């Protein structure tokens, strides 16, 4: 059977440089309208939280007001009053409460625990008047709204970038595979090779052995190539994406399905470190690049 490609240091360096150049181009050309629209939406939410629901005076709020906040879909804004913001899952645990308005309506104590949790974690830099037991000035309220909106907007836009990048990359890989004659079939749980797509087929994200793969591909020679799509915005982040995730999965798949039966691979885009990629290759992870999928196609063709 044909061995998967292994890239030299020079190969990896050239690909890394091209990927970073593309990353810079995409990031600098990113429309500011996404930020503006997201910011404006959250700015309006925080103003409503303050003006309609009285959240500028948290210590005086009632359980009914907390319910009203969640009924108006302002739970995220409420969580971002904390410093640092409290995640939805963390708030459920910390307050020992459901965040569903219908449940909170029937449980005043749960609503009060949510309020108490937010007050305890409140960001004193944005809301100094609460700790000082005084009314805020108009300037302080406006500053608190603006900084809170900026805080949640930064998080939302970052998440949007990450998800869009991954979705775009996965879509590109699937389109490429269809372009070289592969057939996409419905995802399925792949416990053994018998469960996998047939030769010349692939599917979307599914469980391969005990770990999920983004795109399992069945090569022409019968081997399974589970592909992980990895987008990184920094060399530090790339360690998490490739070395601590994709490489670990590669080892697990080789143990569970057989070293000669799988070709674990990753398709990369963004910012990566050559040294870390060399380590990934040494862990039997085959590397391809989203900007040069033809190399993946060349390997696939050789497996006929």
């Amino acid at each position: 059977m044909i061995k998967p490609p292994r890239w030299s240091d020079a190969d990896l360096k050239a690909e890394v440089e091209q990927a970073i150049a593309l990353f810079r181009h995409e990031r600098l050309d990113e429309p500011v309208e996404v930020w503006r629209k997201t910011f404006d939406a959250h700015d309006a939410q925080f103003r409503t939280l303050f003006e309609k629901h009285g959240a500028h005076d948290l210590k005086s709020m009632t359980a009914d007001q907390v319910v009203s906040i969640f009924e108006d879909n302002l739970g995220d804004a409420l969580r971002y009053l904390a410093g640092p913001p409290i995640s939805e899952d963390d708030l459920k645990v910390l307050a020992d409460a459901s965040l569903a308005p219908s449940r909170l309506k029937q449980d005043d104590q749960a609503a009060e625990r949510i309020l108490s949790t937010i007050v305890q974690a409140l960001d004193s830099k944005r809301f100094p008047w609460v700790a000082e037991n005084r009314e805020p000035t108009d300037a302080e309220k406006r500053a608190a709204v603006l900084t809170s909106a900026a805080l949640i907007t930064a998080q939302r836009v970052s998440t949007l970038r990450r998800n869009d990048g991954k979705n775009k990359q996965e879509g590109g890989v699937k389109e490429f595979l269809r372009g070289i004659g592969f057939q996409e079939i419905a995802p399925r749980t792949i416990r053994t090779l018998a469960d996998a797509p047939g030769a010349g087929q692939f599917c979307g994200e599914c469980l391969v052995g005990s770990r999920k793969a983004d795109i399992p591909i069945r090569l022409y020679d019968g081997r399974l190539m589970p592909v992980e799509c990895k987008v990184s915005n920094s060399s530090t982040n790339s360690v998490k994406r490739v070395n601590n995730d994709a490489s670990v999965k590669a080892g697990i798949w080789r143990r569970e399905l057989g070293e000669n039966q799988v070709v674990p691979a990753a398709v990369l885009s963004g910012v990566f470190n050559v040294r870390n990629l060399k380590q990934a290759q040494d862990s039997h992870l085959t590397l391809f690049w989203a900007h040069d999928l033809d190399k993946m196609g060349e390997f696939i063709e050789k497996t006929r």
Side-chain angles (χ1 to χ4, degrees), residues 1 23 28 32 37 43 53 69 74 77 80 89 98 101 119-120 142 144 169 179 182 192 204 242 251 263 282 298 304:
M1 288 185 288
F23 173 82
L28 291 174
V32 296
K37 286 184 177 180
D43 179 72
H53 299 285
I69 286 172
L74 295 174
Y80 268 76
D89 287 340
S98 166
V119 170
Q120 186 175 348
R142 186 57 187 147
Q169 191 188 71
F182 270 64
T192 68
V242 176
V263 182
D282 291 340
E298 291 170 6
R304 284 185 182 273

Side-chain angles (χ1 to χ4, degrees), residues 43 45 56 74 77 81 140 163 167 181 183 197 222 227 296 301:
D43 179 72
Q45 288 181 340
H56 64 281
L74 295 174
L81 299 184
E140 284 177 323
N163 292 340
N167 292 338
Q183 176 190 7
V227 173
M296 184 173 74
E301 182 62 26

Side-chain angles (χ1 to χ4, degrees), residues 4-239:
R6 282 182 58 86
W7 312 112
S8 68
D9 291 5
D11 292 331
L12 291 174
K13 185 174 184 295
E15 298 287 12
V16 164
E17 288 175 351
Q18 186 172 353
I20 291 175
L22 289 169
F23 173 82
R24 289 191 183 116
H25 177 73
E26 291 175 1
R27 187 57 57 87
L28 291 174
D29 285 352
E30 187 176 60
V32 296
E33 192 62 24
V34 174
W35 173 274
R36 289 175 180 165
K37 286 184 177 180
T38 306
F39 181 90
D40 288 345
H42 290 300
D43 179 72
Q45 288 181 340
F46 282 105
R47 282 190 281 111
T48 301
L49 193 66
F50 278 29
E51 295 167 8
K52 177 181 176 181
H53 299 285
H56 64 281
D57 187 11
L58 284 173
K59 291 182 178 180
S60 299
M61 289 181 66
T62 65
D64 287 342
Q65 285 175 297
V66 174
V67 173
S68 181
I69 286 172
F70 282 95
E71 286 180 330
D72 284 355
N73 295 315
L74 295 174
D76 286 351
L78 181 67
R79 293 188 294 101
Y80 268 76
L81 299 184
I86 302 174
S87 72
E88 185 174 342
D89 287 340
D90 283 355
L91 183 56
K92 291 177 183 178
V93 174
L94 293 171
D96 188 22
S98 166
L99 305 185
S102 58
R103 297 279 296 276
L104 291 175
K105 274 185 176 180
Q106 302 170 12
D107 191 347
D108 284 353
Q109 290 184 344
E112 289 169 359
R113 288 196 300 273
I114 290 173
L115 182 59
S116 176
T117 301
I118 298 297
V119 170
Q120 186 175 348
L122 192 68
D123 186 350
S124 61
K125 295 294 185 181
R126 282 182 286 154
F127 312 103
W129 64 86
V130 177
E132 296 169 7
N133 292 311
R134 61 175 175 82
E135 285 293 314
T137 65
D138 289 342
E140 284 177 323
K141 283 196 290 186
R142 186 57 187 147
V145 167
L146 288 172
T147 53
S148 298
L151 186 63
I152 194 170
T153 298
Q155 178 63 43
R156 293 292 186 265
V157 171
S158 176
T159 300
L160 183 64
R161 279 174 177 167
R162 186 166 58 251
N163 292 340
D164 280 356
K166 182 175 174 62
N167 292 338
K168 179 181 177 181
Q169 191 188 71
E170 288 185 12
V173 172
K174 290 180 178 180
E175 183 179 357
F176 176 82
L177 290 170
R178 287 190 288 266
I180 62 173
F182 270 64
Q183 176 190 7
E184 182 173 9
I185 63 173
R188 73 275 309 283
T189 297
I190 302 173
R191 297 294 185 187
T192 68
L193 284 182
D195 302 321
Q201 295 181 332
F202 70 94
C203 67
E205 183 186 63
C206 67
L207 200 64
V208 175
S210 61
R211 295 292 187 274
K212 284 187 176 181
D214 291 328
I215 306 175
I217 303 170
R218 193 69 176 270
L219 301 174
Y220 291 117
D221 60 15
R223 287 178 294 174
L224 180 66
M225 186 164 76
V227 173
E228 286 286 279
C229 293
K230 297 299 180 184
V231 180
S232 171
N233 59 13
S234 72
S235 56
T236 300
N237 179 261
S238 72
V239 175

